[in-house]
Amino acid sequence: GGGLAYADGVLYATSGFGEVTAMNAGDGAVLWTQKLDAPVIAAPTVHKGRVFVVSRDNRAWALLTKNGRIDWQQQSTPSDAGLIGGASPAVAGKSVILPFSSGELVAALSRNGLRVWSVAVSGSRRGQARSNIGDISSDPVVTSSRVYAANQSGRVTAVARRDGERLWTANE
């Protein structure tokens, strides 16, 4: 797991070892490293002075870009099984959309982590053992009025960006 993001001359890297590192993109000098107590499973998302990451154990963090300090945390429902790798957070106006391996999609205010809404992207496919894994398997897609997310079983869900109301779910 893990990945990279770039903003304002800084490269941000996450790792399966539970670290988020900020590096000068020009020379690779490490600016800061924040150790989290869980593997980070996807690339970080950087927006307006914060780095957003999601961990394997269904927690999300907002770190300050200037020093790596934890600004806030968000917890999702525990999950027994999951994929290596995962979906990255997406920014939607004043909110950040957090995709968890439990299948939960959470919108939180990016400035303080206050939960705005939550919805489950759930469902399975008969005859496929991997469909018992509830991971949201792709980065959420955000438009002006909707958020789209998909799980490992092939379910795609559209929800209202404002309040998380489920608009539709495609089974395949």
Side-chain angles (χ1 to χ4, degrees):
L4 302 171
Y6 173 88
D8 301 321
V10 179
L11 187 65
Y12 299 90
T14 58
S15 79
F17 299 105
E19 293 183 342
V20 181
T21 302
M23 296 172 276
N24 180 306
D27 63 13
V30 173
L31 304 173
W32 54 258
T33 297
Q34 176 60 255
K35 294 180 189 263
L36 305 174
D37 57 353
V40 180
I41 59 174
T45 299
V46 182
H47 184 71
K48 291 189 175 180
R50 289 180 179 84
V51 181
F52 303 102
V53 297
V54 176
S55 69
R56 173 77 270 155
D57 67 350
N58 289 315
R59 285 185 287 166
W61 287 270
L63 309 176
L64 299 176
T65 56
K66 62 184 174 185
N67 57 20
R69 286 195 168 158
I70 296 171
D71 191 30
W72 55 260
Q73 293 182 53
Q74 182 69 243
Q75 178 72 49
S76 177
T77 306
S79 177
D80 293 332
L83 300 173
I84 296 175
S88 296
V91 175
K94 295 179 180 181
S95 296
V96 60
I97 309 300
L98 305 167
F100 292 104
S101 63
S102 62
E104 186 178 20
L105 190 66
V106 171
L109 293 178
S110 58
R111 73 177 186 275
N112 60 16
L114 179 68
R115 190 177 285 222
V116 177
W117 54 258
S118 170
V119 66
V121 179
S122 59
S124 62
R125 186 178 293 184
R126 290 182 61 127
Q128 299 289 324
R130 74 172 186 256
S131 73
N132 292 323
I133 299 172
D135 278 32
I136 293 178
S137 55
S138 63
D139 297 348
V141 174
V142 179
T143 70
S144 61
S145 62
R146 295 182 177 193
V147 177
Y148 300 91
N151 74 2
Q152 171 64 23
S153 301
R155 298 280 196 251
V156 178
T157 298
V159 300
R161 182 175 142 184
R162 186 183 86 256
D163 60 9
E165 177 187 355
R166 186 181 307 274
L167 303 172
W168 56 259
T169 299
N171 294 331
E172 293 289 328

